[in-house]
Amino acid sequence: YGMRAVKSIIVAAGSLKRAEPETEELLLTMRAIKDVNLPKFTQEDIPLFDGITQDLFPGLKLPEPDYGSLSTALQDAAVGQGLEEVPAFLSKCVQLWETLLVRH
């Protein structure tokens, strides 16, 4: 785990805190860790990562984020391109979007 990865998490946590100042910092930290790291993992790695985060943050449950218009736009784009609305594909698209938010 390099310093660049730590910096990405700190930047993501700071952005979340500015966007949601009333939210508990522990929740924001866990969400930042997931937002930064989850897109990098394969399907097989995700259960292991979930186990590690549960060990770090026992009993803490993240609420499902509401992507609202992003989800609708992704579904419309998939249908427009003749693709099926496969949940794993849509999830990866959201993860790419989150990665872009953190890195740019």
Side-chain angles (χ1 to χ4, degrees):
Y1 212 70
M3 290 305 293
R4 193 170 126 208
V6 172
K7 181 187 180 286
S8 295
I9 291 169
I10 292 170
V11 168
S15 295
L16 290 170
K17 183 65 174 175
R18 282 187 293 282
E20 304 173 29
E22 70 288 340
T23 304
E24 182 183 349
E25 288 185 3
L26 198 57
L27 278 172
L28 295 176
T29 302
M30 185 174 174
R31 195 162 129 211
I33 290 171
K34 282 193 170 222
D35 288 353
V36 169
N37 289 297
L38 204 56
K40 301 175 189 176
F41 298 137
T42 62
Q43 282 302 117
E44 294 81 23
D45 292 335
I46 292 173
L48 177 62
F49 179 72
D50 287 340
I52 292 169
T53 55
Q54 286 305 310
D55 289 346
L56 290 172
F57 304 97
L60 189 64
K61 298 286 184 202
L62 282 178
E64 270 307 305
D66 177 25
Y67 294 108
S69 61
L70 177 63
S71 294
T72 304
L74 287 171
Q75 292 168 347
D76 292 346
V79 169
Q81 294 292 318
L83 303 172
E84 292 183 33
E85 298 174 43
V86 178
F89 171 73
L90 297 174
S91 175
K92 277 296 177 186
C93 290
V94 169
Q95 290 173 3
L96 175 62
W97 177 74
E98 289 173 342
T99 300
L100 289 172
L101 288 179
V102 169
R103 304 210 185 273
H104 298 284

